[in-house]
């Protein structure tokens, strides 16, 4: 039921530093402006790749879950991976039926579409985000 990889989430203590890395060292040419996503307590900045995106996330403040994550990983690092699904409610129910813990209720994610997160303990140590793709995308 999972569709294509939408993005890889990378937590960072500084989006500006990470943008320099992706632009100047790795050569990414399409980097979006950062924006706040208060529902998840983060600043977000998308780096476009030919086949996917990197989602840079930086805590909005000390209460952000990503702030706690960065305490354990001070340099930042790979935080989650995101797969597309057709129907977020159906995906959430299927995850629960199969014994995987869904973290909270579906909410609006960084692309403006519904997302859920699935606990890494049930996903081989990987925090998995599932998202509905934006409608009308080519
Ligand atoms: Co994400």
């Amino acid at each position: 039921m999972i569709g294509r990889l939408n993005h890889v989430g990378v937590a960072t203590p500084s989006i500006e530093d990470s943008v320099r890395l992706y632009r100047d060292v790795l050569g990414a040419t399409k980097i979006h402006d950062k924006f706040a996503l208060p529902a998840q307590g983060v600043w977000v900045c998308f780096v476009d790749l030919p086949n996917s995106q990197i989602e840079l996330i930086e805590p909005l403040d000390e209460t952000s879950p990503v702030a706690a994550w960065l305490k354990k990983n001070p340099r930042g690092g790979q935080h989650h991976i995101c797969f597309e699904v057709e129907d977020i409610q159906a995906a959430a129910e299927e995850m629960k039926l199969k014994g995987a813990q869904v973290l909270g209720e579906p909410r609006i994610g960084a692309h403006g579409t519904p997302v859920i997160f699935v606990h890494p303990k049930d996903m081989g140590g990987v925090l998995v985000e599932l998202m509905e793709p934006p409608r009308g995308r080519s």
Side-chain angles (χ1 to χ4, degrees), residues 96-138:
K96 289 175 199 165
L97 274 175
K98 290 178 173 170
Q101 184 185 344
V102 175
L103 300 166
E105 292 299 310
R107 71 199 89 154
I108 298 301
H111 291 85
T113 64
V115 306
I116 57 171
F117 286 88
V118 187
H119 199 294
K121 75 180 168 59
D122 300 320
M123 290 285 128
V126 177
L127 176 59
V128 169
E129 178 181 11
L130 301 176
M131 70 171 272
E132 287 185 14
R135 300 292 161 199
R137 184 188 63 193
S138 58

Side-chain angles (χ1 to χ4, degrees), residues 7 9 55 80 82 117 129:
H7 63 266
E55 179 189 52
H80 65 271
C82 179
F117 286 88
E129 178 181 11

Side-chain angles (χ1 to χ4, degrees), residues 75-97:
R75 295 163 66 93
Q78 190 254 306
H79 179 266
H80 65 271
I81 57 177
C82 179
F83 302 110
E84 297 179 358
V85 296
E86 276 306 306
D87 180 332
I88 207 70
Q89 284 293 352
E93 278 156 35
E94 190 169 349
M95 290 298 102
K96 289 175 199 165
L97 274 175

